[in-house]
Amino acid sequence: MAADAQPPDEGGDWWQRGEEPDYRATLANERTFLAWTRTALALLAGSLAVLELVTVAPFALRLALACYLIALSMAVTVIGYRQWRVRQERMRHRRPLGHSRVHLMLGLALLLLGALIAVAAGLAPH
């Protein structure tokens, strides 16, 4: 089997196998990774804001919400890197970029976040 024909997920110097993709596609892939990173940072900043700045909900609820935001931030970081790497490998081997359920899972996680915030708002004194 030629070096170029290796499956992209075998580890090693994956970024050297295959052929160099069009630089515009590589840059677009990097911009997408940076968007994932910005989202993770925003979630992390939100966790600090919920924990420190919001005083209308009980501390235990704020702590739970902050921990959820931190976990979501960490997940988004890992997902963003994985998406970038998989797409970069596929472009190097001229394979279809494929589809992922990640967007559905992230959407559901954000819906759960909205539900938690609604609970927190409902517990706030009026």
Side-chain angles (χ1 to χ4, degrees):
M1 179 184 286
D4 288 351
Q6 291 177 340
D9 286 336
E10 281 190 2
D13 296 340
W14 64 268
W15 61 89
Q16 294 177 340
R17 289 196 299 267
E19 58 188 60
E20 189 68 27
D22 182 347
Y23 73 91
R24 292 171 291 190
T26 296
L27 293 174
N29 195 28
E30 287 179 9
R31 283 190 301 272
T32 302
F33 173 68
L34 291 173
W36 282 97
T37 303
R38 283 190 304 273
T39 301
L41 286 171
L43 289 166
L44 195 56
S47 73
L48 291 174
V50 163
L51 195 56
E52 296 298 326
L53 301 176
V54 179
T55 58
V56 296
F59 178 76
L61 183 57
R62 289 186 289 133
L63 181 61
L65 188 55
C67 288
Y68 182 79
L69 285 166
I70 291 168
L72 193 55
S73 173
M74 292 170 25
V76 166
T77 300
V78 170
I79 290 167
Y81 173 77
R82 181 72 179 140
Q83 292 271 318
W84 168 80
R85 180 174 169 173
V86 164
R87 290 198 172 112
Q88 199 64 30
E89 286 179 276
R90 288 179 179 176
M91 286 189 295
R92 291 192 70 80
H93 293 275
R94 293 182 176 246
R95 294 176 47 210
L97 296 180
H99 299 284
S100 173
R101 294 183 185 182
V102 165
H103 302 101
L104 173 62
M105 292 186 302
L106 184 59
L108 292 174
L110 291 173
L111 283 173
L112 178 58
L113 176 62
L116 289 172
I117 290 172
V119 167
L123 293 176
H126 297 279

